[in-house]
Amino acid sequence: MARAWVRDGLQGASRISFPLHSIRSKERKMRNGILIKLLLPVAALLCGVQPGWAEDILIGHVSGYTGPVSKDANDLHLGAKIFFDNVNEKGGYEGRKFRIVTADDKYNPAETLRLVGAMIGKASALLPTTGSAGLLSVIKSGILDRASLPIVGAVPSPISSRVLQRNIFHFRAGDRDQITALTRQLVTVGYRDICIVMSENPFGLQAGDLAEKALAGHGAKADCKPIFKIAPSTDFSGVIAALKSHPQQAIIVFAPPKAVVETVVAIRQAGVRSPVYTLSYTDHQMLIDALGQRNAAGIGIVQVMPNLNKTILPLIRSFQDDYEKFGGTTQPPTYFNLEGYVSARLIYEAIRKSKDASAEGVRRGLEQMQNIDLGGFLLSFSPDNHTGSRFVDLSVITSSGRLIY
């Protein structure tokens, strides 16, 4: 049929003179082009991709959406989402929308490594990771030494992850900064006998070692240093026995947020009333929900982000506005929501800085962001410095369930 059509066309166009094989070649190209256009949507659906998504700027989030840090992962995601929702509503970046692609590593370091590797070449950046072991597995593998995929934030931030890495950018004060500030404060108020409770993971053990050395430098001691293993039903009997056999003026707990809450519950149920302190990774609302306002009152939490209630700060005001508009929840915002929000904003500002939405563009843009003010939160990056902030403050839960700084 096609050949007859070509012949008939030529008979009616005798003034045109060019070879028949040229017409057949053009006919094949036209037919193939039509076929490709028809099959593209089908192929996209088979691959799980919807038309138009190829133009989206993909932002990855590899985190423990199930397991002991699930709340942190979801809070970080929501914080980033509300920022990108606001940007997308205003047209995105040069007409391209931002889309977050999540991957659940189940708090398993091997899965973290595999999923981060799968994001290379696809995502322009990664939102904060959760879990020290997972981040360290990525660093030790070297996969990000050979590619461009900036990780913008890490929770927690053990000292071993703070060595300059090409693709890792920290915007929260690290464990060393937090522990230095906390131990200094405890010694200043007169505490000398302090118990350090640690989970048996890289973060807990490294934090415990840092705290012990910091206390010794102030003339204080930590003779009580119980370690516990995180499990679906954690056994705290060893922790309780150590606390009761070593009189202490204060207790510092180093563990993932959910484990911190479980530890404090076990301590209080055992009748141990010493003041408890922990780092910025634990949400104060989790402690209040588990203990009640009365029993949670007085617990100290190191903070590395601006006060959520300080709406005089432009950053907090815009965060609160976007949370109310795009959050889709009646739950109050958390500090991990704010961290996700800041991570997303840094990614966006890096793209604007470099004028390049690729992973390398984000990485390069971040290194160009020196002495920037996000609206009451100051950061500074450079090719030789990937730790943007060392801001640290100490907060205490009040009897009304609020945090005071």
Side-chain angles (χ1 to χ4, degrees):
M1 290 293 294
R3 289 180 179 178
W5 180 83
V6 172
R7 285 197 300 271
D8 291 344
L10 284 174
Q11 288 172 2
S14 56
R15 292 182 182 180
I16 301 175
S17 177
F18 45 84
L20 182 60
H21 70 81
S22 176
I23 295 176
R24 288 174 176 168
S25 176
K26 291 181 179 179
E27 178 194 358
R28 282 195 299 271
K29 289 180 180 178
M30 181 182 299
R31 189 165 61 242
N32 290 343
I34 293 171
L35 184 61
I36 289 171
K37 288 180 179 179
L38 290 172
L39 290 178
L40 270 177
V42 178
L45 289 174
L46 288 174
C47 295
V49 179
Q50 295 185 14
W53 280 13
E55 295 303 315
D56 289 349
I57 300 171
L58 303 185
I59 307 299
H61 191 209
V62 177
S63 190
Y65 281 90
T66 56
V69 295
S70 59
K71 185 179 187 304
D72 315 336
N74 283 284
D75 282 359
L76 287 164
H77 173 268
L78 178 59
K81 178 182 177 297
I82 64 173
F83 177 83
F84 287 133
D85 283 349
N86 181 41
V87 171
N88 288 341
E89 186 180 70
K90 297 175 181 176
Y93 174 74
E94 295 187 347
R96 298 175 65 187
K97 301 297 179 70
F98 289 87
R99 179 165 62 92
I100 300 175
V101 179
T102 62
D104 181 13
D105 65 15
K106 301 177 177 63
Y107 200 62
N108 181 331
E111 277 295 282
T112 307
L113 176 58
R114 182 182 71 82
L115 293 171
V116 168
M119 292 281 183
I120 295 174
K122 300 178 180 66
S124 293
L126 296 185
L127 297 170
T129 57
T130 51
S132 54
L135 178 62
L136 293 175
S137 72
V138 172
I139 292 173
K140 290 175 181 177
S141 74
I143 60 170
L144 294 185
D145 297 339
R146 304 182 294 272
S148 288
L149 181 61
I151 299 176
V152 187
V155 180
S157 304
I159 192 65
S160 53
S161 73
R162 288 277 166 160
V163 179
L164 182 65
Q165 304 287 335
R166 182 175 184 271
N167 278 290
I168 298 177
F169 294 82
H170 302 277
F171 59 83
R172 56 157 37 240
D175 293 350
R176 184 186 295 278
D177 295 321
Q178 295 183 59
I179 291 167
T180 298
L182 175 58
T183 52
R184 184 190 302 120
Q185 178 64 23
L186 294 181
V187 172
T188 298
V189 298
Y191 294 153
R192 288 293 184 273
D193 295 313
I194 298 169
C195 183
I196 302 172
V197 180
M198 300 161 276
S199 57
E200 193 176 23
N201 67 339
F203 159 62
L205 298 175
Q206 288 183 27
D209 183 60
L210 283 172
E212 185 177 7
K213 291 176 180 176
L215 288 170
H218 292 297
K221 60 181 180 179
D223 293 334
C224 169
K225 295 170 290 188
I227 299 172
F228 67 90
K229 290 185 178 181
I230 298 173
S233 181
T234 303
D235 179 9
F236 290 106
S237 59
V239 171
I240 302 305
L243 291 175
K244 289 190 173 183
S245 63
H246 291 82
Q248 71 285 149
Q249 295 172 293
I251 302 168
I252 306 175
V253 182
F254 297 123
K258 184 179 178 182
V260 168
V261 174
E262 292 172 349
T263 304
V264 178
V265 169
I267 289 172
R268 292 295 186 247
Q269 287 179 345
V272 179
R273 308 305 302 175
S274 302
V276 175
Y277 298 86
T278 189
L279 299 191
S280 61
Y281 312 111
T282 301
D283 177 17
H284 78 287
Q285 192 59 50
M286 291 174 63
L287 288 164
I288 293 171
D289 292 344
L291 294 162
Q293 288 186 4
R294 180 179 177 183
N295 288 325
I299 294 176
I301 304 174
V302 178
Q303 300 295 346
V304 296
M305 303 295 288
N307 190 336
L308 278 176
N309 298 314
K310 201 172 184 179
T311 53
I312 191 174
L313 299 178
L315 170 64
I316 301 303
R317 188 164 59 249
S318 64
F319 165 71
Q320 296 279 14
D321 290 345
D322 289 344
Y323 187 86
E324 182 177 356
K325 183 174 182 179
F326 300 108
T329 177
T330 58
Q331 295 296 314
T334 69
Y335 281 93
F336 277 139
N337 290 148
L338 179 58
E339 287 198 42
Y341 189 86
V342 170
S343 175
R345 181 166 172 186
L346 286 172
I347 292 168
Y348 176 68
E349 296 294 347
I351 291 172
R352 293 180 61 196
K353 192 83 171 176
S354 68
K355 297 179 174 58
D356 181 357
S358 71
E360 177 56 25
V362 174
R363 196 193 69 79
R364 191 171 63 252
L366 285 166
E367 290 189 338
Q368 296 170 3
M369 295 170 67
Q370 299 181 27
N371 300 316
I372 64 164
D373 185 355
L374 295 186
F377 187 47
L378 305 176
L379 299 104
S380 187
F381 296 104
S382 73
D384 299 321
N385 173 38
H386 285 192
T387 298
S389 170
R390 286 190 163 85
F391 168 80
V392 175
D393 205 346
L394 183 63
S395 68
V396 177
I397 303 175
T398 68
S399 57
S400 63
R402 293 176 64 85
L403 282 177
I404 59 171
Y405 280 61

